[in-house]
Amino acid sequence: MSSLRCFIVFATCLIFTSVNGFDLHRRRDAINATYKDASAPIEARVSDLLARMTIQEKTAQLVQGDIRNWVNTTTNSINNTGLAWNMADRAGQFYVYGLPPSWLSEGIKIAQEYIIQNTTLGIPALVQTEGIHGLLVDNATVFNSPIAQACSWDPELIQEMARIIALESQAVGVNQIFAPLADLARELRYGRVEETYGEDPYLVGEMAYSYVVGIQAGNVSATVKHFAAFSNPEQGLNTGPVHGGERERRTTWLPPFKRAIIDAGAWSIMGAYNSYDGIPTIADHHLMTDILREEWGYQYWLTSDAGATDRLCCAFNMCRCKPTVDSEAITMYALPAGNDVEMGGGSYSFEIIPKLVESGKLDINIVDTAVARQLRAKFAMGLFENPFQGVPENSTKAFIHTAEHVEVARRLDAESIILLENDDSTLPLNKDAHIAVIGPMADFVNFGDYVVGGAQYSPSNVTPLQGIRNASTGTITYAQGCERWSTDESGFPEAVAAATSADVAVVLVGTWSRDQDELWQGLNATTGEHVDISSLNLVGAMGPLVQAIIATGKPTVVVFQSGKPVTEPWISKHAAAVVQQFYGGEQAGNALADVLFGNVNPSGKLSVSVPHDVGSLPVFYDYLNSGRGASSDAGQEFDNGTLVFGHQYVLGTPQPLYEFGYGLSYSNFSYSDVTLSQSTASTTDTITASVSVTNTSPVDGKEVVQIYVQDVVASVAVPNVELKGFKKVFVKAGETVKVDVELKVADWGLWDMSMKYVVEPGEFVVWVGSSSLDMRGNGTVVVS
């Protein structure tokens, strides 16, 4: 920013600050204040600053601002009136958008400088945007979606990705990212499955923990969302009510949040849109205060999601919605319950806080508690000492989308790909083969949601077709076959001809989402926020296209590119090979080619179970004891039309098509010598489970060793088995590696009939396996 522009902004701001309460006397009094002393204890700084704040200044910390109030996102012009207004009323944090990095850096710097120079107390702002698989800024590195990331079963790689997101965020001055999700993919019809790390509380907790640690190591705040029990809505419909009791909430939904929030030390949390057992989560005192603050001891702050506060009136009908929402009721429901900050997207009801305090309806101590939680985070982050961590506007390119970052994106994508079927070792492909690349996802950048608008059109992206061409030394022919959104089969003859003339066909089909702009424009999609489905089958002509290519008799490799499981058992049975690539990043095409041609040995394992049909949902592996009927009483409809009737189900099975933790490799691994460090234990012990893994193939590879625990006799119904540890290991061809996994006995507990957490005495079986159904050995521990 030029010195002239700085002067104009500064001079103009001085004019407006006189209108908005700039207090020179209080500013001078704060020059040597405790809150400005970086060496003072955080609690002393919080108390000192809080005592100096007016009720309007406190309120301004509790309502989200928006960079569009002072930056024109089309021309990059600065609106100084809007800047002064925003920082008087919504100064605690502000949201930014997918602008060019130099624009964003300039706009953020102007805001932070205004706060420091032209507000009475100079409280720096948190600068917020999205980042579940990459910073939501133009040209930032795009990684694969969280559902894919978790299939890597590699927490260290997730932490590395988060470190990169922090570096790119810092470069433009962003210091808070709305990620990670600790939600669980327990309802596969729900559109936001792609944003989760999968179905299992332990795996999700480890992934979310790694993300928080990685991003906050770069001094960028994580925001763990959506607190809590959001992703199992009625009928799979976004923001719908979630049904469950206290035991289910504590057993299944809260553990991954506690791992990411408490163990990782997350500086902020985002609430959820739903109700749980009839109580809207943003007004749930038991959840946000009794559990989060009093039981867990959480000291930082929680914000509502966008527009969520209005839902108290306009969705839950707990107060008046029209002609205007009842802001008093909303504030009195949400703020005392523990929802500290109101995000934008609604009616900004929290702006009524001063009136409520003045009238005596709202206790000032409640306001102070909420403000203190946010200030505590800002002090912990060092924002008062360094409010703008960005680089000069003309230097952002050196920190964003670097070659190193792109390489990590490619590696994470490749590590996340799952080989589901591989008949007769169809894969890996010969690089000199004639390959027909077919399908609507073949020459298409298939990102998940929450990528910046237009990201899919960046020339740096690599489609599957491009990736295969890059890796091949043979002949590559291409036919789209059909559109992803159409039943039109007029392109089939060209696709069939391409397959017939080739040695092998690679057919790419699946689901698709939209970028952050397109998603809300009403354009077609089959996954994403507010895009829920009633079927998990392929849409339109994609299923018939796959059948037509398989019917040519040529070996057919089917690649599912999707944001959730695709249920096509016929394809699994008849294709030569099946590969699952959940939504990839910008290097998805190269990563897929790495796996198809054997440059990378597939090592991904499913983070979510795949059902035979939507009618058998839910299909998660850790069902409660007494659940999931015997598969021996399953029915089936055969290809020739023959019907075999069963009872569970009449023409189906409750068992998954592919279970949680499943994934093939080009290597073969055998397990032996399963041992436990001790056979008896107390609740304070940590046990080591050991196993020898041998690669019996001529190909180096990676295996994910998974440890499950079974509580043999329990006082309440508990999950039949639960993942309690895992480790991804590299094993050279013909070699054996000993794998040790530590298990805390304290994590083997349950919530008893009195709703107390206890590890009950008795036998626990520790299972060691390659998936949740492929157990290779076990040992027993008696807990006393």
Side-chain angles (χ1 to χ4, degrees):
M1 183 169 57
S2 68
S3 58
L4 176 60
R5 188 170 188 180
C6 283
F7 174 79
I8 293 172
V9 170
F10 179 71
T12 306
C13 289
L14 283 177
I15 296 172
F16 286 100
T17 49
S18 62
V19 177
N20 288 298
F22 183 82
D23 190 325
L24 185 59
H25 174 75
R26 286 196 301 130
R27 182 180 176 90
R28 288 173 176 170
D29 186 55
I31 290 175
N32 296 313
T34 300
Y35 82 88
K36 292 186 176 181
D37 181 0
S39 66
I42 286 179
E43 290 309 304
R45 299 179 77 182
V46 170
S47 297
D48 179 68
L49 178 53
L50 197 61
R52 297 172 184 273
M53 298 173 71
T54 66
I55 186 60
Q56 181 57 41
E57 289 167 339
K58 292 174 182 178
T59 302
Q61 293 293 306
L62 303 183
V63 182
Q64 185 192 44
D66 191 312
I67 198 171
R68 293 177 300 183
N69 289 328
W70 66 92
V71 175
N72 186 308
T73 57
T74 301
T75 66
N76 196 33
S77 61
I78 302 299
N79 175 358
N80 297 303
T81 304
L83 174 63
W85 173 83
N86 187 98
M87 296 313 168
D89 295 331
R90 302 174 186 178
Q93 61 284 307
F94 59 85
Y95 190 80
V96 302
Y97 299 85
L99 302 174
S102 61
W103 290 21
L104 197 57
S105 176
E106 180 185 24
I108 293 170
K109 187 176 183 180
I110 286 172
Q112 296 287 31
E113 288 180 346
Y114 173 86
I115 289 171
I116 301 306
Q117 297 172 0
N118 300 304
T119 65
T120 304
L121 298 173
I123 305 171
L126 288 156
V127 185
Q128 309 164 322
T129 194
E130 313 291 345
I132 58 174
H133 54 126
L135 176 67
L136 200 75
V137 169
D138 285 357
N139 200 43
T141 309
V142 180
F143 298 89
N144 54 2
S145 287
I147 190 67
Q149 295 167 22
C151 292
S152 73
W153 291 63
D154 192 336
E156 292 181 0
L157 195 50
I158 303 304
Q159 189 169 327
E160 175 66 7
M161 176 199 70
R163 182 191 68 83
I164 290 170
I165 295 172
L167 282 172
E168 298 193 351
S169 300
Q170 273 194 331
V172 296
V174 170
N175 55 36
Q176 184 182 358
I177 292 293
F178 290 161
L181 275 73
D183 298 327
L184 303 176
R186 311 285 277 192
E187 167 54 88
L188 298 182
R189 296 173 295 177
Y190 172 61
R192 303 181 75 174
V193 165
E194 68 202 61
E195 300 176 35
T196 76
Y197 288 123
E199 71 183 41
D200 176 67
Y202 182 84
L203 178 63
V204 171
E206 293 307 297
M207 297 293 116
Y209 171 92
S210 298
Y211 186 104
V212 173
V213 169
I215 202 163
Q216 293 195 170
N219 215 40
V220 173
S221 173
T223 306
V224 183
K225 59 184 187 180
H226 303 88
F227 192 70
F230 175 52
S231 53
N232 191 29
E234 182 179 286
Q235 294 189 288
L237 299 177
N238 186 50
T239 74
V242 176
H243 304 290
E246 183 72 358
R247 182 169 291 101
E248 181 177 356
R249 174 155 64 178
R250 289 180 176 273
T251 300
T252 302
W253 296 101
L254 291 182
F257 280 96
K258 188 175 184 181
R259 178 67 170 148
I261 293 169
I262 302 302
D263 294 349
W267 285 319
S268 65
I269 303 170
M270 185 186 297
Y273 287 117
N274 65 294
S275 65
Y276 186 86
D277 194 24
I279 305 297
T281 55
I282 62 165
D284 191 340
H285 185 278
H286 177 59
L287 175 67
M288 294 186 292
T289 298
D290 296 344
I291 296 176
L292 178 64
R293 273 62 184 251
E294 295 180 8
E295 288 186 28
W296 294 3
Y298 186 63
Q299 296 295 306
Y300 302 116
W301 63 289
L302 185 151
T303 178
S304 63
D305 206 338
T309 48
D310 277 17
R311 286 175 54 81
L312 290 168
C313 291
C314 302
F316 300 113
N317 295 335
M318 294 167 60
C319 42
R320 183 192 70 249
C321 179
K322 295 179 179 180
T324 57
V325 298
D326 187 341
S327 292
E328 178 180 322
I330 287 174
T331 304
M332 295 304 294
Y333 273 127
L335 186 60
N339 188 102
D340 304 307
V341 170
E342 182 182 40
M343 193 182 289
S347 302
Y348 297 98
S349 293
F350 276 22
E351 291 183 341
I352 202 174
I353 286 173
K355 292 182 180 179
L356 294 176
V357 171
E358 183 180 0
S359 68
K361 295 179 179 179
L362 178 62
D363 189 339
I364 187 61
N365 291 324
I366 292 174
V367 179
D368 287 351
T369 297
V371 175
R373 289 167 177 162
Q374 185 178 147
L375 295 178
R376 191 173 290 119
K378 291 181 177 181
F379 285 124
M381 294 172 64
L383 289 188
F384 283 79
E385 290 68 52
N386 190 10
F388 180 76
Q389 301 176 30
V391 300
E393 298 95 75
N394 59 2
S395 302
T396 55
K397 290 183 179 179
F399 295 85
I400 294 178
H401 202 253
T402 68
E404 175 203 356
H405 299 177
V406 172
E407 188 278 329
V408 172
R410 179 171 179 168
R411 180 155 50 96
L412 177 55
D413 224 321
E415 292 282 321
S416 306
I417 292 172
I418 309 104
L419 180 61
L420 298 177
E421 304 283 350
N422 194 22
D423 295 347
D424 300 323
S425 298
T426 301
L427 295 176
L429 301 174
N430 293 323
K431 291 188 177 180
D432 60 356
H434 180 181
I435 303 170
V437 181
I438 296 167
M441 275 63 179
D443 197 24
F444 172 62
V445 178
N446 203 7
F447 289 151
D449 65 359
Y450 281 95
V451 293
V452 70
Q456 64 270 40
Y457 306 115
S458 170
S460 63
N461 298 331
V462 182
T463 69
L465 177 61
Q466 290 171 317
I468 292 170
R469 283 175 171 162
N470 292 342
S472 170
T473 59
T475 300
I476 304 298
T477 54
Y478 165 64
Q480 181 174 316
C482 66
E483 295 284 2
R484 61 187 187 272
W485 57 75
S486 173
T487 58
D488 182 6
E489 299 183 5
S490 60
F492 282 22
E494 180 187 4
V496 168
T500 302
S501 65
D503 299 321
V504 61
V506 176
V507 186
L508 294 106
V509 290
T511 66
W512 70 97
S513 190
R514 292 285 180 175
D515 67 37
Q516 198 61 5
D517 292 339
E518 292 181 347
L519 189 66
W520 301 97
Q521 294 175 7
L523 300 178
N524 61 54
T526 50
T527 72
E529 186 172 1
H530 84 281
V531 183
D532 310 307
I533 57 176
S534 59
S535 170
L536 295 171
N537 298 111
L538 292 171
V539 171
M542 285 190 283
L545 174 64
V546 175
Q547 293 178 349
I549 302 306
I550 291 176
T552 65
K554 291 300 176 79
T556 301
V557 178
V558 177
V559 179
F560 292 132
Q561 283 200 332
S562 62
K564 62 180 59 182
V566 173
T567 57
E568 293 288 352
W570 186 92
I571 292 176
S572 295
K573 181 178 179 181
H574 294 281
V578 180
V579 173
Q580 175 66 62
Q581 184 179 32
F582 290 117
Y583 290 146
E586 62 181 68
Q587 287 289 307
N590 281 334
L592 178 63
D594 288 339
V595 170
L596 293 180
F597 289 108
N599 295 333
V600 173
N601 191 346
S603 61
K605 300 277 190 175
L606 287 171
S607 62
V608 60
S609 302
V610 180
H612 283 81
D613 183 79
V614 71
S616 60
L617 294 178
V619 74
F620 44 78
Y621 83 95
D622 55 337
Y623 57 89
L624 297 183
N625 288 328
S626 80
R628 195 151 301 165
S631 58
S632 59
D633 199 18
Q636 187 175 359
E637 181 176 358
F638 290 89
D639 292 346
N640 63 6
T642 300
L643 302 180
V644 174
F645 289 88
H647 296 88
Q648 295 175 325
Y649 293 108
V650 170
L651 291 173
T653 173
Q655 300 299 328
L657 178 61
Y658 301 108
E659 72 272 16
F660 172 82
Y662 172 85
L664 301 177
S665 169
Y666 298 149
S667 304
N668 295 311
F669 301 100
S670 65
Y671 288 45
S672 61
D673 302 326
V674 174
T675 60
L676 302 178
S677 60
Q678 56 196 83
S679 58
T680 61
S682 70
T683 58
T684 58
D685 287 345
T686 296
I687 291 176
T688 300
S690 302
V691 60
S692 294
V693 178
T694 302
N695 185 343
T696 60
S697 75
V699 182
D700 296 346
K702 294 180 180 179
E703 170 70 340
V704 179
V705 176
Q706 302 164 42
I707 312 295
Y708 297 84
V709 174
Q710 174 190 3
D711 188 346
V712 177
V713 176
S715 63
V716 295
V718 297
N720 68 103
V721 293
E722 294 180 280
L723 182 73
K724 292 299 181 183
F726 63 88
K727 184 172 289 186
K728 191 169 192 175
V729 293
F730 175 74
V731 189
K732 291 184 177 180
E735 295 189 2
T736 299
V737 171
K738 183 184 178 185
V739 181
D740 296 325
V741 179
E742 291 188 344
L743 306 168
K744 293 182 180 179
V745 177
D747 294 338
W748 299 0
L750 54 81
W751 292 90
D752 66 14
M753 289 188 180
S754 299
M755 205 55 69
K756 303 295 184 183
Y757 182 80
V758 59
V759 179
E760 295 184 331
E763 291 187 2
F764 292 81
V765 179
V766 178
W767 295 93
V768 181
S770 186
S771 79
S772 58
L773 289 180
D774 183 7
M775 302 300 184
R776 307 289 183 89
N778 67 76
T780 299
V781 177
V782 177
V783 175
S784 59

